[in-house]
PDB file of all heavy atoms in Angstrom:
ATOM      1  N   THR A  83     -20.892 -71.140  30.008  1.00  0.00           N
ATOM      2  CA  THR A  83     -22.094 -71.960  29.880  1.00  0.00           C
ATOM      3  C   THR A  83     -22.230 -72.841  31.109  1.00  0.00           C
ATOM      4  O   THR A  83     -21.260 -73.470  31.535  1.00  0.00           O
ATOM      5  CB  THR A  83     -22.005 -72.853  28.633  1.00  0.00           C
ATOM      6  OG1 THR A  83     -21.819 -72.020  27.489  1.00  0.00           O
ATOM      7  CG2 THR A  83     -23.272 -73.664  28.453  1.00  0.00           C
ATOM      8  N   PRO A  84     -23.406 -72.890  31.726  1.00  0.00           N
ATOM      9  CA  PRO A  84     -23.586 -73.733  32.925  1.00  0.00           C
ATOM     10  C   PRO A  84     -23.228 -75.188  32.641  1.00  0.00           C
ATOM     11  O   PRO A  84     -23.456 -75.698  31.554  1.00  0.00           O
ATOM     12  CB  PRO A  84     -25.083 -73.588  33.232  1.00  0.00           C
ATOM     13  CG  PRO A  84     -25.470 -72.298  32.597  1.00  0.00           C
ATOM     14  CD  PRO A  84     -24.618 -72.173  31.361  1.00  0.00           C
ATOM     15  N   SER A  85     -22.664 -75.827  33.651  1.00  0.00           N
ATOM     16  CA  SER A  85     -22.307 -77.240  33.508  1.00  0.00           C
ATOM     17  C   SER A  85     -23.557 -78.106  33.402  1.00  0.00           C
ATOM     18  O   SER A  85     -24.558 -77.859  34.061  1.00  0.00           O
ATOM     19  CB  SER A  85     -21.480 -77.688  34.711  1.00  0.00           C
ATOM     20  OG  SER A  85     -21.278 -79.078  34.684  1.00  0.00           O
ATOM     21  N   HIS A  86     -23.510 -79.106  32.544  1.00  0.00           N
ATOM     22  CA  HIS A  86     -24.657 -79.996  32.374  1.00  0.00           C
ATOM     23  C   HIS A  86     -24.411 -81.376  33.007  1.00  0.00           C
ATOM     24  O   HIS A  86     -25.138 -82.318  32.750  1.00  0.00           O
ATOM     25  CB  HIS A  86     -24.961 -80.169  30.888  1.00  0.00           C
ATOM     26  CG  HIS A  86     -25.388 -78.908  30.220  1.00  0.00           C
ATOM     27  ND1 HIS A  86     -26.593 -78.292  30.462  1.00  0.00           N
ATOM     28  CD2 HIS A  86     -24.748 -78.120  29.327  1.00  0.00           C
ATOM     29  CE1 HIS A  86     -26.692 -77.188  29.740  1.00  0.00           C
ATOM     30  NE2 HIS A  86     -25.585 -77.056  29.049  1.00  0.00           N
ATOM     31  N   THR A  87     -23.369 -81.471  33.824  1.00  0.00           N
ATOM     32  CA  THR A  87     -23.024 -82.760  34.412  1.00  0.00           C
ATOM     33  C   THR A  87     -23.919 -83.088  35.596  1.00  0.00           C
ATOM     34  O   THR A  87     -24.101 -82.266  36.495  1.00  0.00           O
ATOM     35  CB  THR A  87     -21.553 -82.778  34.880  1.00  0.00           C
ATOM     36  OG1 THR A  87     -21.366 -81.742  35.831  1.00  0.00           O
ATOM     37  CG2 THR A  87     -20.622 -82.550  33.705  1.00  0.00           C
ATOM     38  N   SER A  88     -24.452 -84.267  35.595  1.00  0.00           N
ATOM     39  CA  SER A  88     -25.268 -84.851  36.672  1.00  0.00           C
ATOM     40  C   SER A  88     -26.055 -83.828  37.482  1.00  0.00           C
ATOM     41  O   SER A  88     -25.596 -83.365  38.512  1.00  0.00           O
ATOM     42  CB  SER A  88     -24.404 -85.687  37.609  1.00  0.00           C
ATOM     43  OG  SER A  88     -23.326 -84.951  38.108  1.00  0.00           O
ATOM     44  N   LYS A  89     -27.232 -83.489  37.009  1.00  0.00           N
ATOM     45  CA  LYS A  89     -28.087 -82.482  37.628  1.00  0.00           C
ATOM     46  C   LYS A  89     -28.329 -82.774  39.114  1.00  0.00           C
ATOM     47  O   LYS A  89     -28.702 -83.866  39.500  1.00  0.00           O
ATOM     48  CB  LYS A  89     -29.425 -82.433  36.883  1.00  0.00           C
ATOM     49  CG  LYS A  89     -30.335 -81.289  37.299  1.00  0.00           C
ATOM     50  CD  LYS A  89     -31.571 -81.277  36.431  1.00  0.00           C
ATOM     51  CE  LYS A  89     -32.467 -80.102  36.782  1.00  0.00           C
ATOM     52  NZ  LYS A  89     -33.701 -80.091  35.964  1.00  0.00           N
ATOM     53  N   PHE A  90     -28.055 -81.771  39.925  1.00  0.00           N
ATOM     54  CA  PHE A  90     -28.275 -81.814  41.374  1.00  0.00           C
ATOM     55  C   PHE A  90     -27.443 -82.891  42.083  1.00  0.00           C
ATOM     56  O   PHE A  90     -27.769 -83.280  43.183  1.00  0.00           O
ATOM     57  CB  PHE A  90     -29.756 -82.035  41.708  1.00  0.00           C
ATOM     58  CG  PHE A  90     -30.662 -80.946  41.211  1.00  0.00           C
ATOM     59  CD1 PHE A  90     -31.891 -81.256  40.678  1.00  0.00           C
ATOM     60  CD2 PHE A  90     -30.281 -79.615  41.285  1.00  0.00           C
ATOM     61  CE1 PHE A  90     -32.732 -80.253  40.215  1.00  0.00           C
ATOM     62  CE2 PHE A  90     -31.111 -78.611  40.828  1.00  0.00           C
ATOM     63  CZ  PHE A  90     -32.333 -78.928  40.288  1.00  0.00           C
TER      64      PHE A  90
END
Side-chain angles (χ1 to χ4, degrees):
T83 302
S85 172
H86 296 290
T87 59
S88 55
K89 188 176 183 181
F90 298 140

